Amino acid sequence: MINAIYYDGHTTRPRPVRLLIHNGIVSLNGSGYRRTVRVADLTVSEPLEHAPCLMRLPTGGVLEVSDPSLHELLAQNGYAAPWIVRWQQRWPLALLALTALLALLTLGYQSGLPWAADKLAQHLPSSIERKIGEEQLRLVDDGHMRPSRLNLAEQARLQRLFAEMKQPGDENSVYRLEFRDSRLGPNAFALPNGVIIMTDQLVRLARSDQEILGVLGHELGHLHRRHSLRSLMQALGVGVVINLFIGDVSVVLAAAPTLLLHQNYSRHFEREADQYAIDMMRANGIPLSPMADLFERMKERAEERNAGSRMGPRQQAERSEYFSSHPSDGERIETLRAADR
């Protein structure tokens, strides 16, 4: 016999009862109350140390039992705990479940979040893209860069040369090319609102129009594939992605300009932009080697400046040179050279 407390589900008054469990049947006996219930019809709570067990009856009443022998008696009379409870009671299985959960979370972060960011970036309203790009452009002009010092004729010439180029696959990505003077070195980047910015320093570093057009094609690739927005979604995390799906864009608008200004593209995004540039240069009969020459020259220049710089680690991290946001290596440069071969 086991002592228990019965609640009928209609009042809060506890009723002391005694339980007899035998042949798959639970008999309840108390003052003015007698009943039998099959063990198979009971819903038994998970066993917890120092906590009573709750058994829900088919009629809605609840039995509260503190006797530690209850679960053993139930098992002897045919009661099988849910599989999740049995797993928790066996540490090898619990460890396996924890490992599987961590693997699932890692997979979700590495694959699920980029997938969600990609889908969201593709369906983000154009008004939000424009707003994000305008805020980033304002941040650029408020302190990071100054108006271009290139003469207007040179700016117009480069804008015309790039506008005359055919985009790959008969695409027609809308963009606006602008120039800025930068105190922090050569740079070029695309904003979500379609603005491509190239610095005077990058124009002066280039030795031919082909080099400049190659970099602009690369930036148009970032713009066409919405790499800025996709990087932003991944950087801000799951919570912001969910907020965007339900229509809350305030967090994105607040954080986007700064994050986009200091973002580093993934190797996958860089390869996509490189391939877009390759396709665009080929569509216009322009060789890729000049673009590789510029990348190589800029890479060497950045390495020399970093080696001889007296700036601290934080100052070096804040530099806006092209390769701080567009990491390059021998593989990418060789890919561009191989495109001509």
Side-chain angles (χ1 to χ4, degrees), residues 123-255:
H123 297 89
L124 201 65
S126 57
S127 60
I128 297 179
E129 287 186 86
R130 287 196 302 271
K131 182 64 175 177
I132 293 175
E134 289 167 2
E135 288 297 313
Q136 188 185 11
L137 184 59
R138 181 188 59 79
L139 185 63
V140 167
D141 289 336
D142 279 353
H144 289 80
M145 293 186 181
R146 298 167 297 196
S148 175
R149 296 184 180 181
L150 292 177
N151 65 69
L152 296 179
E154 177 67 3
Q155 294 183 40
R157 188 183 70 85
L158 293 174
Q159 289 169 339
R160 176 179 52 79
L161 284 177
F162 192 57
E164 291 174 349
M165 291 183 64
K166 178 182 178 182
Q167 297 183 20
D170 293 325
E171 295 165 4
N172 189 26
S173 297
V174 180
Y175 69 91
R176 185 174 81 246
L177 176 59
E178 296 191 7
F179 297 89
R180 294 291 188 276
D181 178 59
S182 172
R183 292 168 295 182
L184 301 177
N187 206 347
F189 50 89
L191 308 184
N193 61 346
V195 174
I196 297 177
I197 293 180
M198 175 170 279
T199 66
D200 299 352
Q201 288 69 26
L202 185 53
V203 174
R204 296 190 186 105
L205 184 64
R207 295 175 180 172
S208 69
D209 290 341
Q210 293 174 336
E211 293 182 351
I212 295 175
L213 294 176
V215 171
L216 291 176
H218 179 94
E219 293 308 318
L220 188 61
H222 282 309
L223 184 63
H224 175 73
R225 295 292 294 150
R226 293 185 168 182
H227 289 159
S228 290
L229 286 175
R230 291 162 66 185
S231 296
L232 174 65
M233 299 300 104
Q234 295 179 35
L236 291 178
V238 177
V240 172
V241 171
I242 294 175
N243 285 346
L244 280 173
F245 271 119
I246 63 177
D248 182 6
V249 300
S250 58
V251 176
V252 175
L253 293 179

Side-chain angles (χ1 to χ4, degrees), residues 313-334:
R314 180 177 179 181
Q315 290 174 303
Q316 290 188 20
E318 291 176 348
R319 293 187 61 86
S320 297
E321 293 244 9
Y322 191 74
F323 286 120
S324 68
S325 57
H326 298 72
S328 183
D329 53 25
E331 176 192 342
R332 292 185 59 209
I333 294 172
E334 177 57 29

